[in-house]
Amino acid sequence: MAKSLKKKKKTARHRKTAARKPRTKKAVAKRKTAKRKTARKTAAKKRATKKTKKPKKATRKKTTRKKTAKTSPARKKSKKNAKKSPKKASKKPAKKTASKAKKQFVYNLYDLKPSKGPTSGTIIAHRKLSGKSTTEACQLTGDQMLIGIAHKRRGTGSKFHTHPNEQFNFVLKGTLRVDIGDQTFYCPAGSVAHIPAGAVHSTCATGDEDAMFFVCKDTRHGISGPPIDGKEDGARYLPGFEPTEGQREKDAGFDPIPTKS
């Protein structure tokens, strides 16, 4: 009995599959084409719905752009005005700096000459300083300091004198003999002689060669001090370099400081 039942179930299944099998190739192809058509239709519907939705988004963007376009010109004008204002301000100081740049702050002490334009200090060109010395020097005077380059003929110099401002002599060429009180010093090129304020002193170039030195003093007094004996009747001469009367008279003369630099 059991075997007969199993056979009956199998025959029923075979009948169902047999009912499905009679489908021809044409029928299968029709079904596939039908499925493709339905898939195309659904895709076309989806595209149509997307196209209808896009214009709404575009209109929203346009409205926002229009609003910004209305507000932007005012902002642009304000930005332009903001950009223009600093340019105008920058032009004015440029003119001021140009006028300041015309003032002279750098000088050639080896060839110091009066300037036509404004200068930071008072310039006095190369000249003989006094009748008590053979020293010739240029001079540049600031608010608190004065400087210059001085020359002394070999074997000659200044008589003993004094001044209330202290002095530094930096020797550039030759050897400078410095007498301060009872002491004598020889300063070759590269050395500095310090002369305190109010000290009685004398400076001469040795007999080897002419001396050249850089002078630095404060402005309590001028570049040259008065002689101790009060006579500007000629310079000091070392032994062997005594002058003639004509030379002594020349050394006693000097150029006074000009009133204008």
Side-chain angles (χ1 to χ4, degrees):
M1 290 294 287
K3 287 181 180 179
S4 61
L5 288 169
K6 284 180 181 179
K7 283 180 181 179
K8 283 180 182 179
K9 285 180 182 179
K10 284 181 181 180
T11 53
R13 286 177 187 174
H14 285 299
R15 282 173 189 174
K16 284 179 182 179
T17 52
R20 288 177 188 174
K21 278 180 182 178
R23 291 178 188 171
T24 60
K25 289 181 180 179
K26 288 181 181 179
V28 174
K30 282 180 182 180
R31 283 190 178 184
K32 284 181 180 179
T33 51
K35 284 180 180 180
R36 285 174 187 172
K37 284 180 182 179
T38 52
R40 285 175 187 173
K41 285 179 183 180
T42 52
K45 284 180 182 180
K46 284 179 181 179
R47 286 173 191 171
T49 52
K50 283 180 180 178
K51 285 180 181 179
T52 53
K53 287 178 181 178
K54 277 183 181 177
K56 289 180 181 179
K57 290 180 181 178
T59 52
R60 284 178 187 176
K61 285 181 182 178
K62 284 179 183 177
T63 52
T64 52
R65 282 178 187 175
K66 283 179 182 178
K67 285 179 182 178
T68 52
K70 287 179 182 178
T71 54
S72 61
R75 289 179 183 175
K76 284 179 181 179
K77 285 180 182 179
S78 62
K79 284 179 181 178
K80 285 180 181 178
N81 294 327
K83 287 179 181 178
K84 286 179 181 178
S85 58
K87 284 182 181 178
K88 290 179 181 178
S90 63
K91 284 180 182 178
K92 289 180 180 178
K95 290 179 181 178
K96 288 180 182 179
T97 51
S99 62
K100 285 180 181 178
K102 291 178 182 177
K103 196 171 186 178
Q104 186 176 351
F105 290 93
V106 180
Y107 306 87
N108 182 4
L109 286 180
Y110 290 105
D111 187 20
L112 187 64
K113 294 178 181 178
S115 176
K116 293 180 181 178
T119 56
S120 61
T122 304
I123 297 172
I124 298 173
H126 189 86
R127 66 186 180 88
K128 194 170 183 299
L129 295 183
S130 68
K132 71 174 193 313
S133 176
T134 58
T135 306
E136 296 179 358
C138 62
Q139 182 179 338
L140 177 65
T141 306
D143 294 332
Q144 298 178 358
M145 301 294 294
L146 66 88
I147 61 169
I149 288 185
H151 299 258
K152 288 183 186 289
R153 195 169 70 244
R154 72 188 187 97
T156 67
S158 61
K159 293 167 67 175
F160 279 92
H161 63 284
T162 184
H163 38 73
N165 49 352
E166 66 177 337
Q167 180 176 345
F168 291 91
N169 292 344
F170 177 69
V171 183
L172 300 169
K173 180 186 175 184
T175 302
L176 196 66
R177 172 177 169 168
V178 181
D179 295 295
I180 300 175
D182 298 333
Q183 293 179 287
T184 301
F185 305 94
Y186 290 91
C187 304
S191 58
V192 178
H194 176 215
I195 301 164
V200 178
H201 64 282
S202 171
T203 55
C204 297
T206 59
D208 300 330
E209 60 179 330
D210 296 350
M212 181 173 68
F213 54 96
F214 173 79
V215 184
C216 180
K217 305 173 80 171
D218 62 67
T219 53
R220 283 180 288 174
H221 192 73
I223 197 169
S224 177
I228 297 299
D229 60 3
K231 296 177 183 179
E232 296 206 12
D233 55 354
R236 180 186 176 187
Y237 305 95
L238 298 178
F241 293 92
E242 291 81 4
T244 61
E245 286 299 323
Q247 185 65 51
R248 189 182 289 276
E249 287 178 5
K250 281 183 181 180
D251 292 339
F254 66 98
D255 301 324
I257 297 173
T259 55
K260 291 182 181 181
S261 60

